[in-house]
Amino acid sequence: MLGAARRQLGSGPMLGQVLRRLRPAAATEAARGYSAAAKEMTVRDALNSALDEEMSADPSVFLMGEEVGEYQGAYKISKGLLDKYGPDRVLDTPITEAGFTGIGVGAAYHGLRPIVEFMTFNFSMQAIDHIINSAAKSNYMSAGQISVPIVFRGPNGAAAGVGAQHSQCYAAWYAHVPGLKVLTPYSAEDARGLLKAAIRDPDPVIFLENELLYGESFPVSAEVLDSSFCLPIGKAKVEREGKDVTIATYSKMVGYALQAAEILSKEGISAEVINLRSIRPLDRAAINASVRKTNRLVTVEEGFPQHGIGAEICMSVVEESFEYLDAPVERIAGADVPMPYAANLERMAVPQVDDIVRAAKRACYRAVPMAATA
């Protein structure tokens, strides 16, 4: 395997249950703000097509990980790639994250562009030394002489009924580290455009997908389907415009925020939903511009509340736009406990649409404050 990774590659000819979710209601879909499109694409197909096109365009790109080849990926993200590019560019690895991640980083040192798939980002903890000390710091420590163009990708955050050791959100973990870029796609457009950008980037990129979004379909335009399509890293997207309150979030929670915004609209509250897309770098300008318009902010994330993404967003707004705030910032996050296994407790441990609705109402002084109900 190491020999295959070291040479210039040429183009060649734990089983995971795929969890699908129902498409959102038509009203929510219309609220996403996508341009008219004749085609829909699942997040799974968006990721697969981005991998295929980048591997076709650049022979130095290769994929490695557990079951990415013969089994075509635990979630079928790499379907068809082994047949098309062969075992030198789609490498099935043993169950040893520390081993194959280290090989991937070494291949990136030699000028290749590895894509390392973790069956779940929880398993990346086995390889975190390579990700942080070997990949993230090498460019700085070599005074720019060593580039590490590598992508670490896989499902992140809560799935369904997989317990505390398989349900963590690692956005805040990796966003803490200088030298890494951290991307969190929501839609098919995000998945396709951001993965292409990650593969082309000269620096290590953490690409946090969500298992429950793989089977969800989104409208895509002809521009998105073009092989040259690529989204800029570090730029957020306003998924829904509003004037009363800003809801800033990422990954699966964007869908929840859009559903909440639709509910709020029926009660006369106009919510602006920001899809962060990129956690590091964070689009502070877009967040602050929205808050300066709406004068209120709600942050939403699945991860733990302490030292989380929401806390960083809140601090950014306090530093740059405090005088524009008309209400205290509301922060919605996962419960500060290991993820329960029982379905009823699991649901209580992650943010729900109703939580976002209540927080937005509090920010707009349309509900009794939490302290008054304690």
Side-chain angles (χ1 to χ4, degrees), residues 233-255:
I233 292 176
K235 293 295 182 181
K237 178 185 179 183
V238 177
E239 295 281 353
R240 176 180 178 132
E241 293 191 356
K243 59 184 178 61
D244 295 328
V245 59
T246 296
I247 304 175
T249 186
Y250 59 94
S251 190
K252 183 162 69 79
M253 291 293 107
V254 175

Side-chain angles (χ1 to χ4, degrees), residues 215-229:
E216 188 165 338
S217 294
F218 294 85
V220 288
S221 65
E223 178 189 6
V224 173
L225 294 173
D226 191 276
S227 61
S228 64
F229 177 71

Side-chain angles (χ1 to χ4, degrees), residues 34-42 45 188 217-222 224-225:
Y34 294 101
S35 58
K39 182 177 176 60
E40 290 201 346
M41 175 179 276
T42 65
D45 288 341
S217 294
F218 294 85
V220 288
S221 65
V224 173
L225 294 173

Side-chain angles (χ1 to χ4, degrees), residues 37-307:
K39 182 177 176 60
E40 290 201 346
M41 175 179 276
T42 65
V43 171
R44 177 182 293 106
D45 288 341
L47 294 168
N48 177 267
S49 65
L51 288 170
D52 185 11
E53 290 172 11
E54 293 306 301
M55 292 180 72
S56 178
D58 186 348
S60 70
V61 177
F62 70 97
L63 174 67
M64 65 191 307
E66 296 155 2
E67 298 185 347
V68 299
E70 294 290 345
Y71 190 66
Q72 304 192 77
Y75 302 97
K76 300 298 179 275
I77 304 300
S78 53
K79 184 177 181 180
L81 298 182
L82 176 63
D83 291 340
K84 187 171 183 178
Y85 297 104
D88 277 351
R89 296 186 64 193
V90 182
L91 287 75
D92 276 321
T93 66
I95 304 175
T96 170
E97 282 78 13
F100 65 75
T101 302
I103 289 172
V105 173
Y109 284 171
H110 283 267
L112 302 181
R113 291 184 174 271
I115 304 163
V116 174
E117 176 178 313
F118 296 119
M119 196 175 290
T120 161
F121 253 92
N122 297 272
F123 300 158
S124 74
M125 293 181 71
Q126 302 290 330
I128 202 164
D129 179 60
H130 290 302
I131 295 170
I132 294 177
N133 284 325
S134 299
K137 299 178 181 178
S138 290
N139 186 263
Y140 173 81
M141 295 180 70
S142 68
Q145 296 180 77
I146 299 176
S147 292
V148 191
I150 187 170
V151 177
F152 304 101
R153 54 156 295 269
N156 169 71
V162 292
Q165 293 172 313
H166 297 78
S167 300
Q168 286 186 201
C169 175
Y170 285 86
W173 286 58
Y174 288 116
H176 188 66
V177 182
L180 291 178
K181 295 174 181 175
V182 182
L183 305 181
T184 54
Y186 160 62
S187 65
E189 176 182 313
D190 292 355
R192 186 169 155 78
L194 291 175
L195 183 54
K196 282 174 164 284
I199 295 170
R200 298 173 189 180
D201 200 86
D203 297 312
V205 178
I206 302 291
F207 198 84
L208 302 174
E209 302 156 13
N210 188 282
E211 178 182 339
L212 298 178
L213 287 176
Y214 285 148
E216 188 165 338
S217 294
F218 294 85
V220 288
S221 65
E223 178 189 6
V224 173
L225 294 173
D226 191 276
S227 61
S228 64
F229 177 71
C230 188
L231 288 173
I233 292 176
K235 293 295 182 181
K237 178 185 179 183
V238 177
E239 295 281 353
R240 176 180 178 132
E241 293 191 356
K243 59 184 178 61
D244 295 328
V245 59
T246 296
I247 304 175
T249 186
Y250 59 94
S251 190
K252 183 162 69 79
M253 291 293 107
V254 175
Y256 283 24
L258 289 169
Q259 292 178 53
E262 187 64 24
I263 294 170
L264 290 165
S265 70
K266 296 174 182 177
E267 301 189 31
I269 297 175
S270 174
E272 180 151 296
V273 177
I274 296 181
N275 172 7
L276 296 174
R277 283 182 166 170
S278 174
I279 301 300
R280 186 181 183 106
L282 185 65
D283 194 348
R284 301 171 192 273
I287 296 166
N288 279 278
S290 179
V291 169
R292 292 182 182 197
K293 178 176 69 171
T294 66
N295 309 115
R296 295 171 176 85
L297 173 65
V298 176
T299 69
V300 187
E301 62 186 310
E302 278 190 313
F304 302 130
Q306 187 161 326
H307 308 128

